[in-house]
Amino acid sequence: MGLELYLDLLSQPCRALYIFARTNNIPFEFKHVELMKGQHRTEEFRKVNMLMKVPALKDGSFTLAESIAILLYLARKFKTPDHWYPSDLQKRARVDEYLSWQHVNIRGKGSKLFLTKVLLPLLTGQPLSPEKLEGVTEELNVVLKQFEEKFLQDKPFIVGNEISLADLVALVELMQPVGAGYNLFEERPKLAAWRNRVEEAVGKQLCQEAHEGILNAKNLTADKIAPELLEHFKHQLLKQSS
């Protein structure tokens, strides 16, 4: 039995895995788990990942959860080019540093903007207040400034002259707010140039394919979301915004 990746490309970490596997010619079977239909909450998927989250990996009888762990497993198993996760101690430490920081910063704030701008009005039936939108946008802008000044600086990529896992993970997260209609690259030339380099390094067409779904997410309607998932989102978002 070959390698199986359980993914939904609406999810940022799933897109990172998909792009990484495809760009490195890693053979895998794409198992589509539709989040909006609640397929990650089924008993069948629970056997693959009891945490009921995507992405998940199955390699024979071995299963693995958590996107960073899966990326590193693939990099090691398939001996991908060194630049992805450098053997040089300090370069690897830079990748680890970014991957550790991004969870509650780029990922946290980018996801919050996406959920607030796209899902909250859908769930409440009320338009989003300008004050609320301004608040979540400002939170994201703070971490974007940190990303540029601390991690990117004046380098082509986060670790230096070559793309690494850090750049790929950063790009897919930054595309989430873009999917909500906030083009954060527009007034940030340094960030826009970095995005272009990352996309060129993995292939523009592959990036476009991976992000097609999320870039259409602003057209999402409530009838496309499983009822129990709607309730879950509503509880989470209203708790967040109270």
Side-chain angles (χ1 to χ4, degrees):
M1 199 185 298
L3 181 74
E4 298 172 349
L5 293 178
Y6 292 76
L7 311 169
D8 185 330
L9 298 183
L10 287 180
S11 149
Q12 308 92 300
C14 288
R15 294 197 297 273
L17 274 169
Y18 179 76
I19 293 169
F20 182 71
R22 287 278 309 276
T23 202
N24 285 290
N25 298 311
I26 294 171
F28 69 97
E29 186 180 345
F30 187 126
K31 296 282 194 179
H32 191 192
V33 181
E34 291 191 64
L35 294 174
M36 291 304 169
K37 290 185 179 176
Q39 290 178 354
H40 58 302
R41 299 165 79 85
T42 62
E43 279 307 308
E44 187 186 353
F45 182 66
R46 193 183 166 93
K47 291 171 189 168
V48 178
N49 183 7
M50 66 173 290
L51 302 175
M52 296 188 288
K53 289 182 177 179
V54 290
L57 169 148
K58 191 172 184 191
D59 191 4
S61 60
F62 177 73
T63 57
L64 190 63
E66 296 301 318
S67 59
I68 302 302
I70 297 171
L71 281 167
L72 295 178
Y73 177 83
L74 294 178
R76 289 162 178 153
K77 173 165 180 162
F78 293 95
K79 298 181 173 58
T80 55
D82 188 72
H83 62 81
W84 287 109
Y85 195 56
S87 49
D88 177 89
L89 178 67
Q90 293 186 354
K91 286 182 178 178
R92 179 172 287 196
R94 285 285 173 234
V95 175
D96 291 338
E97 179 184 41
Y98 177 76
L99 294 178
S100 301
W101 176 81
Q102 61 95 25
H103 287 286
V104 295
N105 293 287
I106 294 292
R107 176 165 176 72
K109 308 307 181 191
S111 296
K112 188 175 179 182
L113 186 141
F114 177 82
L115 293 170
T116 304
K117 201 166 186 288
V118 174
L119 281 181
L120 195 57
L122 212 59
L123 299 172
T124 60
Q126 302 292 321
L128 188 63
S129 73
E131 295 78 19
K132 179 70 183 163
L133 181 58
E134 191 181 329
V136 293
T137 304
E138 185 47 39
E139 283 181 30
L140 176 58
N141 288 342
V142 168
V143 296
L144 287 174
K145 189 169 187 286
Q146 291 172 348
F147 175 70
E148 285 194 272
E149 292 178 359
K150 155 75 178 156
F151 293 97
L152 196 53
Q153 299 173 11
D154 292 316
K155 299 168 293 183
F157 298 99
I158 292 171
V159 175
N161 292 323
E162 290 185 287
I163 190 172
S164 71
L165 289 175
D167 297 284
L168 180 55
V169 169
L171 178 68
V172 295
E173 293 294 346
L174 292 178
M175 291 303 290
Q176 207 75 357
V178 176
Y182 175 49
N183 188 354
L184 52 89
F185 297 102
E186 205 167 47
E187 293 177 9
R188 294 181 174 86
K190 185 194 287 189
L191 211 54
W194 164 83
R195 172 192 175 180
N196 193 51
R197 287 191 291 272
V198 175
E199 289 182 342
E200 282 184 348
V202 297
K204 293 245 179 199
Q205 196 174 340
L206 176 58
C207 271
Q208 196 176 342
E209 179 195 323
H211 288 94
E212 189 179 352
I214 200 64
L215 293 176
N216 287 319
K218 46 187 177 293
N219 302 323
L220 194 65
T221 50
D223 61 326
K224 297 279 195 300
I225 307 173
E228 66 274 16
L229 207 58
L230 272 175
E231 280 308 306
H232 171 75
F233 279 141
K234 188 179 279 191
H235 176 72
Q236 288 298 108
L237 282 168
L238 294 178
K239 189 170 71 176
Q240 226 181 58
S241 60
S242 59

